[in-house]
Amino acid sequence: MARPTTTYVCQSCGAQTRQFFGRCSSCGAWNSLVEQTAPASDTRRRRPVAADTAAASPRQPRRSEPIAAVGERPLQRLGSGYAELDRVLGGGLVPGSLVLLGGDPGIGKSTLLLQSAEAMATRCSVLYVSAEESAQQVKLRWRRLAEGADEAEGAAGAVAGARPGAPELSGLQLLAETDLELVLQELEALRPAVAVIDSIQALHDGELSSAPGSVAQVRECAAALARIAKRQDTALLLVGHVTKEGMLAGPKVLEHLVDAVLTFEGDRFASHRLLRAVKNRFGATHELGVFEMRGRGLAEVSNPSELFLGSEEPSAGTATIVACEGTRPLVVELQALVSTTSYASPRRTATGIGTNRLHQILAVLEKHLGLPLSRFDCYLAVAGGLEVEEPAADLGVAAAVVASYRDLTLPPGTVLIGELGLGGQLRPVGQLELRLQEAARLGFSRAVVPKGSGLARLAAGLDLQLLEAGGVAEALVAALGVNPADDRG
Ligand code: TYD
Ligand code: MG
């Protein structure tokens, strides 16, 4: 009989060691090792679920077969009731798949899934397992959301099919439970087409000694749920929490297990919420869905560019770019403020764009346009609280900075697209066609883009004046109509 042993389990990647370290030797996370005492023999083998899995499908010897001969089943996707969620999922929920939805507390994960569950319950059987809130709390929220949907009915922007049925007729089943065993039993008894588990960290497997939310618990609970989901073709939506560092708790462990990982993010001070796919076995990643948190639930934003466009009045130091999120172009306004510094080293602050990126663009402008920007403070902000990571925003940042420095206003209706090289050259960017189409759709009439795009004909068809430039100086002259390098400092 083996002695119980003490192991240390990393709460970030699940790696195990016999010795305590301040830093996980496998993933490098600090202070993530937690002591766990477990009998050396693996008691988990004796789980009843595993046993009845074996009973349900008696093991037959499997032989390999030619891939061409493998029978195909058409992928039947289930609409989630929300076009924005479907887009991120790659066209809807796939039966038997596991989807993990992560996000900060209070961002609206429960709200999104409850709304979507309610919408789906009009077409198929849906079980909502609430492990965090009581049945009463969920019911209260559900009633509030149903009223919100009633109000939205008829209002512009309401989506067909998203409206939950009359509350009395709802087919949504609710279970407020944290015990994994009871949740599994209910899933087996009900055999729903879709089940929501809110949240995976709050579920608890009585056979494990560790606390709910620990890596061992999360892994066991998710694995048991995955087995049952595959067996009865139930699509599972799991809510996952984000740790202080912004990681999904037990991220590696869960990410391998599930078919798709979605993150729900947003600014605490803004009402819009962005839904992204980080991993998706059934669709493209980096797709973006946009929602707005209202008093009575989340509403879809089908035209997000309008959200990220600032005021109608053009002012000095603003420039408009077209960022691309997945296959989704977003027209976004940037604002820069350049003012004489009163510090020994000037201040550089950027909201929504990496500060390093800003430093680099300022250095390029200083070197290639001869602007003495190192004597000026520079602040940069992206409207609407959006994070723009793409280098395609570089030219827009440069134009906003130069416009603020020279107190110039860019001609209205101009968008700027292009990456800046360190040598001052303008580099081509991907998906230029999509970006130009979006700009034209929103009524922009001029686009400054890198040379050699080959899109002159497309632009002419879109009624868009295409200004191609090889370098940053040339691009800024084209955009501003004056040479920013004249009249130095
Ligand atoms: P919730 O879905 O509980 O967040 P999560 O499950 O991600 O922790 O959302 C809670 C927040 O959303 C809360 O701060 C209040 C806000 N909210 C609204 O503004 N309107 C609504 O209709 C609902 C249901 C919530
Ligand atoms: Mg919640």
Side-chain angles (χ1 to χ4, degrees), residues 104-111 141 144-145 293-297:
D104 288 332
I107 204 76
K109 302 181 292 296
S110 303
T111 308
R141 174 183 307 201
R144 190 160 139 206
L145 295 175
M293 184 61 95
R294 302 247 176 94
R296 288 174 193 274

Side-chain angles (χ1 to χ4, degrees), residues 106 108-111 128 132-133 141 198 239 241:
K109 302 181 292 296
S110 303
T111 308
Y128 188 98
E132 289 187 350
E133 292 169 81
R141 174 183 307 201
D198 186 4
V239 174
H241 283 289

Side-chain angles (χ1 to χ4, degrees), residues 346-350 353-366 397 422:
R347 310 204 88 193
R348 267 86 214 263
T349 314
I353 278 192
T355 318
N356 285 342
R357 200 89 216 157
L358 177 63
H359 283 295
Q360 188 176 321
I361 295 165
L362 293 177
V364 170
L365 290 177
E366 178 135 22
V397 174
L422 290 180

Side-chain angles (χ1 to χ4, degrees), residues 255-268:
E255 273 178 26
H256 292 310
L257 236 154
V258 300
D259 298 302
V261 181
L262 313 185
T263 62
F264 205 33
E265 51 199 61
D267 199 329
R268 273 194 184 278

Side-chain angles (χ1 to χ4, degrees), residues 235-254:
L236 276 186
L237 288 157
L238 311 176
V239 174
H241 283 289
V242 164
T243 60
K244 272 182 300 199
E245 293 79 30
M247 299 278 281
L248 286 165
K252 302 269 164 25
V253 182
L254 277 181

Side-chain angles (χ1 to χ4, degrees), residues 33-218:
L33 294 193
V34 168
E35 181 179 348
Q36 189 175 306
T37 319
S41 65
D42 193 354
T43 52
R44 278 174 270 145
R45 292 270 150 73
R46 285 186 274 116
R47 293 183 50 82
V49 171
D52 76 28
T53 312
S57 53
R59 287 226 159 193
Q60 283 160 1
R62 274 264 177 100
R63 297 297 313 273
S64 61
E65 54 187 326
I67 188 162
V70 175
E72 280 177 56
R73 268 195 305 170
L75 210 58
Q76 292 255 330
R77 290 181 189 259
L78 256 168
S80 66
Y82 288 87
E84 295 289 303
L85 179 54
D86 285 345
R87 175 210 304 276
V88 178
L89 286 169
L93 273 175
V94 176
S97 69
L98 259 79
V99 177
L100 177 68
L101 175 68
D104 288 332
I107 204 76
K109 302 181 292 296
S110 303
T111 308
L112 176 67
L113 293 187
L114 186 58
Q115 274 181 258
S116 168
E118 174 66 31
M120 285 187 285
T122 56
R123 286 170 283 131
C124 57
S125 57
V126 183
L127 173 65
Y128 188 98
V129 178
S130 173
E132 289 187 350
E133 292 169 81
S134 69
Q136 282 304 312
Q137 281 172 306
V138 179
K139 170 90 196 260
L140 268 178
R141 174 183 307 201
W142 172 81
R143 188 159 282 291
R144 190 160 139 206
L145 295 175
E147 285 165 13
D150 279 340
E151 276 171 21
E153 176 76 333
V159 189
R163 185 193 174 273
E168 308 75 42
L169 300 178
S170 171
L172 183 63
Q173 292 286 119
L174 175 65
L175 173 71
E177 184 54 66
T178 57
D179 188 341
L180 175 70
E181 216 53 57
L182 298 178
V183 171
L184 292 177
Q185 277 170 20
E186 182 63 16
L187 278 171
E188 289 205 317
L190 209 63
R191 290 187 158 260
V194 181
V196 176
I197 311 287
D198 186 4
S199 69
I200 185 77
Q201 274 93 0
L203 276 193
H204 169 75
D205 180 353
E207 292 195 10
L208 296 180
S209 55
S210 45
S214 66
V215 164
Q217 284 280 2
V218 167

